[in-house]
Amino acid sequence: MNLKFILTFAWFYGWSGLKRGPVYVLSYLSLPLSLLLLVFIISRGELLSYGIIGGMIAVVASNALSLVSDNAFFKLELRMIDLLVATEVGPVDYMIGLMLGDLVFSFPGIVLYIILGIILKVFPLIEIPPIFGVLILVMFSTSSLGIITSSRLKHVRHSWGLSSFLSIVFTIIPPLYYPYQILPKIILYILMATPVTPASVIVQSGLDGPSTMSSVAVLLLETALFTICARYLTQWEEK
Amino acid sequence: MIETFELTKRYDDGTIALNSLTMKLDSKISCLIGRNGAGKTTLTRILSTQLKPTSGKAVINGYDIERDRKTLRKKITSIPQEAKPMGIASPLEHVTMYLTAKGMSFRDAVREAKVALEAVGLGEVIDKPTDELSGGMKRKIFVAMAISSNTDVVFLDEPTTGLDPISRMEVWSAVREIRSKILLTTHYMEEAQELCGQIAILDRGKLRGLGTVNELLEPLKGKVRVEGMGDIIIGKTRLSYVDKTKASELLDKNVTLKPITLEDVFITMGVEIES
């Protein structure tokens, strides 16, 4: 693994986006913050903590899923992979660089939600490191899904619609903004296929609930599985 | 030195992009010229280890493109035909990222990137988002990558396509700054004539000619191009080649006489193929 390239690529892709396009931070925060307001008004403040936990996970997941279009754009429009093939880096370095770049780009949103969570007493300071660990797993697993989805696209324009569709499916339907306990077990198990669901269960249970260990296992398994699939579907050299 | 031995590429749809190509290139700047679909990009992609050949062999400075793939990737730089910069990132960020991919430390990459960007005339705009740069400036970012990567061989696939004449000349000047050996593909004859010590003419995956500009012009030595009459038909224009001594006899006819260039070598080879 080429760590210096991975970090530089994250700087190139994530930091340049953050520095020169801060308006996109507002853009990716607009939906979760609007939903937070909606949840607050409708539940008269009772479900505020779900709005914060859900928004935090949604920020990471929606940015990670934007890799559907970013990866397609890099590959088909910018010819980034063609440029990088004849270098010392491989598909894993490229993939992790993209994921880390997305994490850098999501950082202001994550920080905002963590501050809100601390101020509104949704989670104590001590829980921040494990929550951050969960968010990194969400980033890796959903980014991998983004890469898998974009890997066989022939036209960039197909990626735009897919990216928005997946973002809605991954951040509105699963139990991010509402308690997972209200779901029938069978629906919860089905939704466990999306990495955001086990992540939400872990954070909603305060990291030590009855479902935490099994959800951690599911999230770890999905992260490993999706990352391996993404690696093999990232076409580096052609036959 | 770049050598190919019976190199063939057949795509899944049956298209033969390279047909048993054997050649040896050893100039400081060598050019591949040919029409669209001649096989130039396929050859460049195979030589730069992006694409696998169907059969045959190629060797670059003694390294086999298949057997020594990993080692070779450290010794070459390949700038693809349609590579574009990411609009929101700056030239400095692009070149630095590329140089770390080539194995440099971040600190060295930043330093070398600044030197190279200065050398290609982008010193004033190193921190500007590339969206704000002209087409020529954008291409020069990739030339700066080639300059600073300091590898043995650089592949430049149509580096000036779509650029205006001034931007093209700027890119040519930047290309001359590259210290490595260069294999440049182009369909601009003028570009090949301007830059290349050795020129290979490809047509439908086959080598039609190889030599210096003078060697390639040799068969048409002492002739002029006559536009307006002749057996060669390109679009609606008739062409022929006559001895300079006989050219004066044509002056009263409705024809245009032009000196011979590399374009004429290309045309006459194409005609041979057609017949």
Side-chain angles (χ1 to χ4, degrees):
Chain A
M1 204 183 288
N2 189 332
L3 195 62
K4 61 192 168 194
F5 168 75
I6 291 171
L7 294 174
T8 311
F9 196 82
W11 163 77
F12 166 76
Y13 169 57
W15 176 242
S16 65
L18 204 56
K19 191 168 64 173
R20 300 199 182 88
V23 69
Y24 289 106
V25 175
L26 291 178
S27 159
Y28 74 63
L29 281 173
S30 58
L31 181 65
L33 287 177
S34 307
L35 287 172
L36 176 66
L37 183 69
L38 201 67
V39 166
F40 179 76
I41 292 169
I42 291 173
S43 71
R44 295 170 195 266
E46 267 187 44
L47 296 177
L48 182 69
S49 60
Y50 294 100
I52 289 174
I53 293 170
M56 182 173 66
I57 296 171
V59 159
V60 174
S62 60
N63 275 329
L65 288 166
S66 70
L67 268 188
V68 176
S69 41
D70 281 7
N71 188 42
F73 182 67
F74 274 18
K75 186 179 157 197
L76 302 169
E77 281 289 311
L78 304 186
R79 301 281 165 184
M80 185 70 78
I81 292 180
D82 286 355
L83 182 72
L84 291 175
V85 167
T87 66
E88 294 179 30
V89 301
V92 174
D93 304 311
Y94 168 72
M95 253 175 59
I96 298 176
L98 277 176
M99 292 172 182
L100 218 54
D102 256 334
L103 193 64
V104 170
F105 190 63
S106 308
F107 204 68
I110 296 172
V111 169
L112 175 75
Y113 272 97
I114 285 179
I115 290 170
L116 282 175
I118 292 168
I119 292 172
L120 298 169
K121 298 189 170 49
V122 176
F123 31 74
L125 263 175
I126 197 156
E127 284 183 6
I128 303 301
I131 287 175
F132 199 69
V134 168
L135 293 179
I136 287 179
L137 290 179
V138 170
M139 171 60 71
F140 272 65
S141 51
T142 42
S143 297
S144 299
L145 279 171
I147 291 170
I148 291 167
T149 312
S150 64
S151 63
R152 291 295 179 269
L153 292 179
K154 298 276 184 219
H155 303 285
V156 179
R157 66 176 179 276
H158 295 157
S159 70
W160 303 327
L162 264 174
S163 175
S164 320
F165 169 75
L166 287 175
S167 183
I168 297 293
V169 167
F170 273 63
T171 60
I172 303 295
I173 298 172
L176 300 190
Y177 294 97
Y178 61 90
Y180 72 89
Q181 292 95 337
I182 64 170
L183 283 173
K185 279 266 186 267
I186 182 74
I187 303 289
L188 181 64
Y189 292 150
I190 292 169
L191 288 173
M192 278 287 186
T194 67
V196 292
T197 304
S200 184
V201 170
I202 296 165
V203 183
Q204 282 187 19
S205 332
L207 305 172
D208 59 357
S211 314
T212 303
M213 284 317 287
S214 54
S215 297
V216 168
V218 171
L219 185 57
L220 282 171
L221 191 73
E222 286 180 347
T223 305
L225 182 72
F226 295 149
T227 308
I228 291 167
C229 288
R231 155 65 189 92
Y232 284 103
L233 286 171
T234 301
Q235 207 173 13
W236 205 240
E237 60 224 12
E238 292 170 35
K239 285 184 181 159
Chain B
M1 186 194 295
I2 299 169
E3 290 174 280
T4 67
F5 305 93
E6 311 230 323
L7 198 65
T8 299
K9 178 66 191 177
R10 183 195 293 266
Y11 287 106
D12 289 344
D13 65 359
T15 309
I16 299 173
L18 291 178
N19 194 348
S20 206
L21 184 73
T22 299
M23 66 174 182
K24 189 196 271 188
L25 299 170
D26 195 23
S27 180
K28 165 74 177 73
I29 305 182
S30 303
C31 276
L32 292 175
I33 62 174
R35 296 180 66 179
N36 295 333
K40 308 183 296 292
T41 295
T42 298
L43 178 59
T44 308
R45 298 189 77 213
I46 288 175
L47 292 174
S48 57
T49 74
Q50 295 170 36
L51 187 66
K52 292 187 174 172
T54 309
S55 62
K57 184 178 159 177
V59 177
I60 300 171
N61 288 351
Y63 296 101
D64 186 289
I65 55 158
E66 295 215 82
R67 200 186 54 224
D68 307 315
R69 182 172 289 252
K70 264 195 150 178
T71 315
L72 196 55
R73 284 178 176 168
K74 296 179 184 172
K75 297 182 177 295
I76 60 171
T77 295
S78 178
I79 306 298
Q81 182 183 348
E82 289 160 340
K84 294 184 192 91
M86 182 173 76
I88 209 158
S90 69
L92 182 63
E93 287 160 351
H94 277 88
V95 181
T96 303
M97 180 274 291
Y98 185 74
L99 292 179
T100 57
K102 292 300 288 180
M104 270 188 209
S105 69
F106 182 78
R107 191 185 291 245
D108 288 349
V110 171
R111 192 189 58 234
E112 292 298 318
K114 283 181 179 169
V115 172
L117 288 165
E118 192 72 50
V120 298
L122 295 180
E124 303 276 300
V125 294
I126 55 170
D127 287 322
K128 268 198 170 184
T130 54
D131 265 345
E132 295 176 20
L133 306 182
S134 68
M137 285 171 149
K138 286 177 185 169
R139 286 310 296 178
K140 283 200 273 186
I141 294 171
F142 293 98
V143 178
M145 288 177 185
I147 291 175
S148 51
S149 60
N150 218 1
T151 50
D152 296 346
V153 180
V154 169
F155 297 98
L156 292 174
D157 194 1
E158 306 204 5
T160 60
T161 298
L163 299 184
D164 64 72
I166 303 290
S167 299
R168 274 171 65 195
M169 286 174 74
E170 284 173 355
V171 172
W172 291 350
S173 149
V175 166
R176 288 195 189 95
E177 295 284 323
I178 300 173
R179 290 188 293 268
S180 327
K181 287 202 170 180
I182 300 170
L183 179 61
L184 183 146
T185 71
T186 183
H187 49 241
Y188 297 127
M189 304 300 129
E190 187 195 353
E191 184 163 285
Q193 210 154 350
E194 181 73 25
L195 292 173
C196 301
Q198 201 177 17
I199 296 167
I201 301 177
L202 291 187
D203 187 84
R204 295 175 216 186
K206 288 196 165 184
L207 184 67
R208 295 294 173 185
L210 177 64
T212 62
V213 174
N214 286 337
E215 284 166 354
L216 290 169
L217 289 174
E218 188 61 31
L220 291 171
K221 199 174 176 184
K223 294 187 186 273
V224 289
R225 172 163 149 181
V226 183
E227 284 183 12
M229 60 170 276
D231 296 334
I232 305 169
I233 302 167
I234 298 174
K236 288 184 177 175
T237 308
R238 285 183 170 274
L239 293 180
S240 57
Y241 296 91
V242 299
D243 286 341
K244 277 180 187 166
T245 50
K246 292 180 182 168
S248 56
E249 296 167 17
L250 301 170
L251 287 175
D252 56 338
K253 297 186 176 161
N254 192 20
V255 295
T256 310
L257 302 178
K258 287 186 176 169
I260 297 296
T261 66
L262 205 52
E263 190 175 277
D264 299 293
V265 177
F266 190 69
I267 290 169
T268 51
M269 284 182 174
V271 171
E272 278 170 25
I273 298 156
E274 295 295 345
S275 63

